[in-house]
Amino acid sequence: MRHTERGTAAVVAGDPAPTNAVIRTVNADERAARAVANAGEPTLEFADRTPYDAYVHASTLHTLQQTLSKDPGEMSFLMTSQIMELYFGLTCFELRETRERLRDDDVWGALPSLRRAALHLEGLNAAWHGLRWMTPADFNKFRDLLGEGSGFQSAMYRQLEFLLGLKTASLVRPFRRQPAVYEALVDALHAPSLWDEVLVLLDRRGFALPAALLDRDLTEPAEPDPAVELAWVEIYRDTGPDNHLRMLGEALAEVGEQFGDWRYQHLKATQRAMGAKAGTGGSGGVAWLQRSMARTVFPELWSARTLM
């Protein structure tokens, strides 16, 4: 099960990484001296682009909204989609960090990034609010111009699903003509998910899990197992402050709940904007999303609660 992932970094388009020639380190003493010299006013003159833009690349970000129609509502649709892509990438980053800490048997060290991931998912969910104005008439003004473009084709969302343990090998196929994106997805498909690392951790901590579960084909999702369920029941019996595994379970539950909320809000936004029409990318639209929602993230973490 201890496979090595060849590449997990996100494929990012845009400006190159900032260099030391643009962003100069400034310590606390220098900042204080500058504030005195400026009499408390902000610095207004710079030799090059502003340090903020050199770091955030805001001027690049604001060139990426290239709408296909003259309808003003399309900008909301496009930018909200881009915001969600950024949140997908950020959440993946945090979950990979969590996975690495668990591989090192550092449960306490894994908690901060896992909790941040839950907060990022909360921000992702809030992004749906910007599309609550969109009725079918609004969407129809520019929908045809999208061609076969669909959120179903988000590579970073697939990365997120794979990290959470929702593996489906066929879903890497749309990216065959994008070599770097495709390779990263194949790597993620074959690598242990975060949930896989949790299972290994539980086995390592003395909760004997079936070998067939730990040594299975990692391109397939882990089937719910009673031994995993009983392990969580035992973990949750200890409510003491030093039970890091229980803290891990609660942090995982928050991530799973926020991710489930995102999928539900996706379903509701789709129903609001297009009813039961076929999806732009060829899927059944609402029917496809309803089937997807049936796949639970971290299933034994939820079913164990019935036995507690």
Side-chain angles (χ1 to χ4, degrees), residues 11-64:
V11 178
V12 180
D15 283 1
T19 64
N20 291 332
V22 176
I23 298 180
R24 187 177 69 83
T25 300
V26 178
N27 61 35
D29 290 340
E30 290 177 287
R31 287 193 294 272
R34 185 170 297 167
V36 171
N38 290 353
E41 296 296 319
T43 301
L44 300 177
E45 296 293 337
F46 300 98
D48 201 345
R49 63 198 289 195
T50 64
Y52 173 84
D53 193 56
Y55 180 66
V56 177
H57 297 261
S59 58
T60 298
L61 283 173
H62 292 299
T63 66
L64 301 179

Coordinates of all heavy atoms in Angstrom, one line a residue, residues 11-64:
V11 N -0.9 21.8 -11.3 CA -0.4 22.4 -12.5 C -1.0 23.8 -12.5 O -2.2 24.0 -12.6 CB -0.9 21.6 -13.7 CG1 -0.5 22.3 -15.0 CG2 -0.4 20.2 -13.7
V12 N -0.1 24.8 -12.5 CA -0.6 26.2 -12.3 C -0.1 27.0 -13.5 O 1.0 27.0 -13.9 CB 0.0 26.8 -11.0 CG1 -0.4 28.3 -10.9 CG2 -0.4 26.0 -9.8
A13 N -1.1 27.8 -14.1 CA -0.8 28.7 -15.2 C -0.6 30.1 -14.7 O -1.2 30.4 -13.6 CB -1.9 28.6 -16.2
G14 N 0.1 30.9 -15.4 CA 0.2 32.3 -15.0 C 1.6 32.7 -14.9 O 2.5 32.2 -15.5
D15 N 1.9 33.8 -14.1 CA 3.2 34.3 -13.9 C 4.1 33.3 -13.2 O 3.7 32.4 -12.5 CB 3.1 35.5 -13.0 CG 2.6 36.8 -13.7 OD1 2.3 36.6 -14.9 OD2 2.5 37.8 -13.1
P16 N 5.4 33.4 -13.5 CA 6.4 32.6 -12.8 C 6.4 33.0 -11.3 O 6.0 34.0 -10.9 CB 7.7 32.9 -13.5 CG 7.5 34.2 -14.1 CD 6.1 34.3 -14.5
A17 N 7.1 32.1 -10.5 CA 7.2 32.4 -9.1 C 8.0 33.7 -8.9 O 8.9 34.0 -9.6 CB 7.9 31.3 -8.4
P18 N 7.6 34.5 -7.9 CA 8.3 35.7 -7.7 C 9.8 35.5 -7.3 O 10.1 34.4 -6.7 CB 7.6 36.4 -6.5 CG 6.8 35.2 -5.8 CD 6.5 34.3 -6.9
T19 N 10.7 36.4 -7.7 CA 12.1 36.2 -7.4 C 12.5 37.2 -6.3 O 11.8 38.2 -6.0 CB 12.9 36.5 -8.7 OG1 12.7 37.9 -9.0 CG2 12.5 35.6 -9.8
N20 N 13.7 36.9 -5.7 CA 14.2 37.8 -4.7 C 14.5 39.2 -5.2 O 14.6 40.2 -4.5 CB 15.5 37.2 -4.1 CG 15.2 36.0 -3.3 OD1 14.1 35.8 -2.8 ND2 16.1 35.1 -3.2
A21 N 14.7 39.3 -6.6 CA 14.9 40.7 -7.2 C 13.7 41.5 -7.1 O 13.8 42.8 -7.1 CB 15.3 40.5 -8.6
V22 N 12.5 40.9 -6.9 CA 11.3 41.7 -6.9 C 10.8 41.8 -5.4 O 10.4 42.9 -5.0 CB 10.2 41.1 -7.7 CG1 8.9 41.8 -7.6 CG2 10.6 41.0 -9.2
I23 N 10.8 40.7 -4.7 CA 10.3 40.7 -3.3 C 11.5 40.6 -2.4 O 12.3 39.7 -2.4 CB 9.4 39.5 -3.1 CG1 8.2 39.6 -3.9 CG2 9.0 39.4 -1.6 CD1 7.2 38.5 -3.7
R24 N 11.8 41.7 -1.6 CA 12.9 41.8 -0.7 C 12.4 41.6 0.7 O 11.4 42.1 1.1 CB 13.6 43.2 -0.9 CG 14.9 43.3 -0.1 CD 15.5 44.7 -0.4 NE 14.7 45.8 0.2 CZ 14.8 46.2 1.5 NH1 15.6 45.5 2.3 NH2 14.0 47.2 1.9
T25 N 13.2 40.8 1.4 CA 12.8 40.6 2.8 C 13.0 41.8 3.6 O 14.0 42.6 3.5 CB 13.7 39.5 3.4 OG1 13.6 38.3 2.7 CG2 13.4 39.2 4.9
V26 N 12.0 42.1 4.4 CA 12.0 43.3 5.3 C 11.7 42.9 6.7 O 10.6 42.2 7.0 CB 10.9 44.4 4.8 CG1 11.0 45.6 5.8 CG2 11.2 44.8 3.4
N27 N 12.6 43.1 7.7 CA 12.4 42.7 9.0 C 11.6 43.7 9.8 O 11.2 44.8 9.3 CB 13.7 42.4 9.7 CG 14.6 43.6 9.8 OD1 14.2 44.7 10.0 ND2 15.9 43.3 9.7
A28 N 11.3 43.4 11.1 CA 10.4 44.2 11.9 C 11.0 45.6 12.1 O 10.3 46.6 12.1 CB 10.1 43.5 13.2
D29 N 12.4 45.6 12.3 CA 13.0 46.9 12.6 C 12.9 47.8 11.4 O 12.7 49.1 11.5 CB 14.5 46.7 12.9 CG 14.7 46.1 14.3 OD1 13.7 46.1 15.1 OD2 15.7 45.5 14.6
E30 N 13.1 47.3 10.2 CA 13.0 48.1 9.0 C 11.5 48.6 8.8 O 11.3 49.7 8.3 CB 13.4 47.3 7.7 CG 14.9 47.0 7.7 CD 15.2 46.1 6.5 OE1 14.9 44.9 6.5 OE2 15.8 46.6 5.5
R31 N 10.6 47.7 9.1 CA 9.2 48.2 8.9 C 8.9 49.3 9.9 O 8.2 50.3 9.5 CB 8.2 47.0 9.2 CG 8.1 46.0 8.1 CD 7.0 45.1 8.3 NE 7.1 44.2 9.4 CZ 7.7 43.1 9.4 NH1 8.3 42.6 8.3 NH2 7.8 42.3 10.6
A32 N 9.4 49.2 11.1 CA 9.2 50.3 12.1 C 9.8 51.6 11.7 O 9.2 52.7 11.8 CB 9.7 49.9 13.5
A33 N 11.0 51.5 11.1 CA 11.8 52.7 10.7 C 11.1 53.3 9.5 O 11.0 54.6 9.4 CB 13.2 52.3 10.3
R34 N 10.5 52.5 8.6 CA 9.8 53.1 7.5 C 8.5 53.8 7.9 O 8.2 54.8 7.3 CB 9.5 51.9 6.5 CG 8.8 52.4 5.2 CD 8.8 51.3 4.2 NE 10.1 50.8 3.8 CZ 10.4 49.7 3.2 NH1 9.4 48.9 2.8 NH2 11.6 49.4 2.9
A35 N 7.8 53.2 8.9 CA 6.6 53.9 9.4 C 6.9 55.2 10.0 O 6.2 56.2 9.8 CB 5.9 53.0 10.4
V36 N 8.1 55.3 10.7 CA 8.5 56.6 11.3 C 8.8 57.6 10.2 O 8.4 58.7 10.2 CB 9.7 56.4 12.2 CG1 10.2 57.8 12.6 CG2 9.3 55.6 13.4
A37 N 9.6 57.1 9.2 CA 10.0 58.0 8.1 C 8.8 58.5 7.3 O 8.8 59.6 6.8 CB 11.0 57.3 7.2
N38 N 7.8 57.7 7.2 CA 6.6 58.0 6.4 C 5.5 58.7 7.3 O 4.4 59.0 6.8 CB 5.9 56.8 5.8 CG 6.7 56.2 4.7 OD1 7.7 56.7 4.3 ND2 6.3 55.0 4.2
A39 N 5.9 59.0 8.5 CA 4.9 59.6 9.4 C 3.6 58.9 9.5 O 2.5 59.5 9.6 CB 4.7 61.1 9.0
G40 N 3.7 57.5 9.4 CA 2.5 56.7 9.5 C 1.7 56.5 8.3 O 0.7 55.7 8.2
E41 N 2.1 57.2 7.2 CA 1.4 57.0 5.9 C 2.0 55.9 5.1 O 3.2 55.5 5.3 CB 1.6 58.3 5.1 CG 0.9 59.5 5.7 CD -0.6 59.4 5.8 OE1 -1.2 58.8 4.8 OE2 -1.2 59.7 6.9
P42 N 1.3 55.2 4.2 CA 1.8 54.1 3.5 C 2.8 54.6 2.4 O 2.7 55.7 1.9 CB 0.6 53.5 2.8 CG -0.4 54.7 2.7 CD -0.2 55.5 4.0
T43 N 3.7 53.7 2.1 CA 4.7 54.0 1.0 C 4.0 54.0 -0.3 O 3.1 53.2 -0.6 CB 5.8 52.9 0.9 OG1 6.4 52.8 2.2 CG2 6.8 53.2 -0.2
L44 N 4.3 55.1 -1.1 CA 3.5 55.3 -2.4 C 4.4 55.2 -3.6 O 3.9 55.2 -4.7 CB 2.8 56.6 -2.4 CG 1.8 56.9 -1.3 CD1 1.2 58.3 -1.3 CD2 0.7 55.8 -1.4
E45 N 5.7 55.1 -3.4 CA 6.6 55.0 -4.6 C 7.5 53.7 -4.5 O 8.0 53.4 -3.5 CB 7.6 56.2 -4.6 CG 6.9 57.6 -4.8 CD 6.3 57.7 -6.2 OE1 6.8 57.0 -7.1 OE2 5.4 58.5 -6.3
F46 N 7.5 53.0 -5.6 CA 8.3 51.8 -5.7 C 9.1 51.8 -7.0 O 8.7 52.4 -8.0 CB 7.4 50.6 -5.7 CG 6.6 50.5 -4.4 CD1 5.3 50.9 -4.4 CD2 7.1 50.0 -3.3 CE1 4.5 50.8 -3.3 CE2 6.3 49.9 -2.1 CZ 5.0 50.3 -2.1
A47 N 10.3 51.2 -7.0 CA 11.1 51.1 -8.2 C 10.5 50.3 -9.3 O 10.8 50.5 -10.5 CB 12.5 50.6 -7.8
D48 N 9.7 49.3 -8.9 CA 9.1 48.3 -9.9 C 7.6 48.2 -9.5 O 7.0 49.0 -8.9 CB 9.9 47.0 -9.8 CG 9.8 46.2 -11.0 OD1 8.8 46.4 -11.8 OD2 10.5 45.2 -11.2
R49 N 7.0 47.1 -10.0 CA 5.7 46.8 -9.6 C 5.5 46.7 -8.1 O 6.5 46.5 -7.4 CB 5.2 45.4 -10.2 CG 6.0 44.3 -9.7 CD 5.9 43.0 -10.6 NE 4.6 42.4 -10.5 CZ 4.4 41.1 -11.0 NH1 5.4 40.4 -11.5 NH2 3.2 40.6 -10.9
T50 N 4.4 47.0 -7.6 CA 4.2 47.0 -6.2 C 4.6 45.6 -5.6 O 4.3 44.5 -6.2 CB 2.8 47.3 -5.8 OG1 1.9 46.3 -6.3 CG2 2.3 48.7 -6.3
P51 N 5.2 45.6 -4.4 CA 5.5 44.3 -3.8 C 4.2 43.4 -3.6 O 4.3 42.1 -3.7 CB 6.1 44.7 -2.4 CG 6.6 46.0 -2.7 CD 5.7 46.7 -3.6
Y52 N 3.1 44.0 -3.4 CA 1.9 43.2 -3.3 C 1.6 42.4 -4.6 O 1.3 41.2 -4.6 CB 0.7 44.1 -2.9 CG -0.7 43.4 -2.9 CD1 -1.1 42.7 -1.8 CD2 -1.5 43.5 -4.1 CE1 -2.3 42.1 -1.8 CE2 -2.7 42.9 -4.1 CZ -3.1 42.2 -3.0 OH -4.4 41.5 -3.0
D53 N 1.7 43.1 -5.7 CA 1.4 42.5 -7.0 C 2.4 41.5 -7.3 O 2.1 40.4 -7.9 CB 1.3 43.5 -8.1 CG 0.7 42.9 -9.4 OD1 -0.4 42.4 -9.3 OD2 1.4 43.0 -10.4
A54 N 3.7 41.7 -6.9 CA 4.8 40.7 -7.2 C 4.5 39.4 -6.4 O 4.9 38.4 -6.9 CB 6.1 41.3 -6.7
Y55 N 3.9 39.5 -5.2 CA 3.6 38.4 -4.4 C 2.3 37.7 -4.8 O 2.2 36.5 -5.0 CB 3.6 38.8 -3.0 CG 3.3 37.6 -2.0 CD1 4.2 36.5 -1.9 CD2 2.1 37.5 -1.3 CE1 4.0 35.5 -1.0 CE2 1.8 36.5 -0.4 CZ 2.8 35.4 -0.3 OH 2.5 34.4 0.5
V56 N 1.2 38.5 -4.9 CA -0.1 37.9 -5.2 C -0.4 37.7 -6.6 O -1.2 36.8 -7.0 CB -1.2 38.9 -4.6 CG1 -2.6 38.4 -4.9 CG2 -1.0 39.0 -3.1
H57 N 0.3 38.4 -7.5 CA 0.1 38.3 -9.0 C -1.4 38.7 -9.3 O -2.0 38.1 -10.2 CB 0.4 36.9 -9.5 CG 1.8 36.5 -9.3 ND1 2.7 36.5 -10.4 CD2 2.5 36.0 -8.3 CE1 3.9 36.1 -9.9 NE2 3.8 35.8 -8.7
A58 N -1.8 39.7 -8.6 CA -3.2 40.2 -8.8 C -3.4 40.7 -10.2 O -4.5 40.4 -10.8 CB -3.5 41.3 -7.8
S59 N -2.4 41.4 -10.8 CA -2.6 41.9 -12.2 C -2.7 40.7 -13.2 O -3.4 40.9 -14.2 CB -1.4 42.8 -12.6 OG -0.2 42.1 -12.5
T60 N -2.1 39.6 -12.9 CA -2.3 38.4 -13.8 C -3.7 37.8 -13.5 O -4.4 37.5 -14.5 CB -1.2 37.4 -13.5 OG1 0.0 37.9 -13.8 CG2 -1.5 36.1 -14.3
L61 N -4.1 37.7 -12.3 CA -5.4 37.0 -11.9 C -6.5 37.8 -12.6 O -7.4 37.2 -13.1 CB -5.6 37.1 -10.4 CG -4.8 36.0 -9.6 CD1 -5.1 36.3 -8.1 CD2 -5.3 34.6 -10.0
H62 N -6.4 39.1 -12.7 CA -7.5 39.9 -13.2 C -7.5 40.0 -14.7 O -8.4 40.7 -15.3 CB -7.5 41.3 -12.6 CG -7.9 41.3 -11.1 ND1 -9.1 40.8 -10.7 CD2 -7.2 41.6 -10.1 CE1 -9.1 40.9 -9.3 NE2 -7.9 41.4 -9.0
T63 N -6.6 39.2 -15.4 CA -6.7 39.1 -16.8 C -7.3 37.8 -17.3 O -7.4 37.5 -18.5 CB -5.3 39.3 -17.4 OG1 -4.5 38.1 -17.0 CG2 -4.6 40.5 -17.0
L64 N -7.6 36.9 -16.3 CA -8.1 35.6 -16.6 C -9.6 35.5 -16.8 O -10.1 34.4 -17.1 CB -7.6 34.6 -15.6 CG -6.0 34.6 -15.4 CD1 -5.7 33.6 -14.2 CD2 -5.3 34.2 -16.7

